[in-house]
Amino acid sequence: MFANRTNWNLKQNEIADRLQALKALGTPVFDLSESNPTECRFEYLNETILDPLNMVANLKYAPDPKGMLGTRKIVEDYYRQNGIFVDSSQIFLTSSSSEAYSFLFRLLANPGDNILVPRPSYPLFHFLADLNDVELKTYPLIYDHDWHIGTEHLISSCNEKTKAIILVNPNNPTGSFLKAKELEKIVEFAESSLIALISDEVFFDYPFNANCERVSLAKIKTTPTFTLNGISKAFGLPQMKLGWIVANGPRSFLNMASERLEMILDTYLPVSTPVQNCMKTWVAQREIIQKEILARTNKNRLFLHSLLSKPHPASLLNSEGGWYAILKVPKIKTENEWVLTFLEEDHVYVHPGFFFDFEAEAYIVVSLLPIPEVFEEGMKRILKRISETAKH
Ligand SMILES: Cc1ncc(COP(=O)(O)O)c(C=O)c1O
């Protein structure tokens, strides 16, 4: 009865089973996978967020496939503040960046075409690819005290069926920003091979150090580019569901892409009117919540550094931004075994590296968003567990 594209293995994995069992027993679990900002006790300006929902303008429906002009102007402003000049006509609103990916895959690829994604990276790509009948190919992110894009590998992985290269900037979970030199090479290749570039910049506003080298794809005009972002991370408001695509490139490409993208969006009209109206007010709280989130991620990261400043069998990988940290753990257990041990023995929940498709074992990934009491206790427990296990 069902389409093959939904033939996923839907059986809950062992880790999720054990977590569910612990919760059912009422056992408190230190959840170091928590990356939902609304669950991490940030001080949201509740009235600023809620008041504009009660506007009379929210009762009127005047759909524009690209999204309301006033809201697109706010997005245009967001880029201008970063020295990037795009016009509101290049901006397309969606209900999330995940949805934006789907629309772009529909715009660019026929069934059987392929799209390149970084490895390790965000686990949702596999589902997005299946749902849109495209194949995924990967290119490596290489770690040698810093993360680099394997550009040679990226280039050699493309073939005549490659329709887009995805850059996650900064990448989840490696927290590595795209560098100007890497971008230059990739743009030159994309331009010569007619492959579109898609840059996912949902964590762009979260560098650990404000001076770190960051470059947004939104300003690239020499080749077709699509830059994704949204309020789920940039405003800490995932429940409100608003994302956007900035299309850029040569004028003739932009005209054709815009017409087609507009038709896709017109078919769904995915963004709610109240959310678009609220953006005028919500934009005022962006910097406040970003500062709070950045203070939290930096505090938790510094704590991790301090715990690991003495010799320890686990080590923290360098990263430049985002909401995650990666720990390399001894290979005396598999990632699955480590995560199950932390869960059962220490009541701490973390993600295994394989969840993000790391090429080798053994890594664990933790979110830097949890409140410090939870983060610090959880980290102390698992680092103690690792050093004790490594001694035996
Ligand atoms: C790299 C990356 N892109 C996109 C998303 C999804 O963003 P949105 O909530 O706008 O769909 C996530 C969510 O964690 C993410 O990690």
Side-chain angles (χ1 to χ4, degrees), residues 228-288:
L228 314 185
N229 205 337
I231 67 171
S232 132
K233 312 290 187 289
F235 291 48
L237 294 173
Q239 76 280 36
M240 299 303 184
K241 310 302 292 177
L242 182 87
W244 59 82
I245 301 168
V246 179
N248 216 339
R251 181 47 55 196
S252 58
F253 156 79
L254 260 187
N255 292 342
M256 286 192 290
S258 293
E259 278 176 0
R260 290 170 186 234
L261 207 43
E262 211 171 312
M263 194 64 231
I264 295 176
L265 282 156
D266 201 17
T267 308
Y268 295 95
L269 295 168
V271 193
S272 89
T273 300
V275 165
Q276 297 184 72
N277 280 331
C278 285
M279 279 291 279
K280 262 200 268 352
T281 316
W282 291 348
V283 75
Q285 66 99 52
R286 175 172 66 94
E287 280 185 23
I288 299 168

Side-chain angles (χ1 to χ4, degrees), residues 8 29 32 46 68 87 93 103-104 139 149 151-152 164 167 177 202 282 301 308 311 325 336 367 390:
W8 298 299
V29 174
L32 301 192
N46 293 353
M68 290 163 71
D87 188 76
L93 304 184
F103 291 161
L104 291 177
Y139 63 88
I149 294 182
T151 38
E152 299 307 320
L167 305 160
F177 282 96
V202 298
W282 291 348
R301 229 186 119 69
L308 290 166
N336 205 48
S367 164

Side-chain angles (χ1 to χ4, degrees), residues 96-99 101 122 168 172 200 202-203 230 232-233 241 324:
S96 66
S97 358
S98 316
E99 186 183 59
Y101 273 120
Y122 180 44
V168 186
N172 168 6
D200 174 339
V202 298
F203 293 112
S232 132
K233 312 290 187 289
K241 310 302 292 177
Y324 301 91

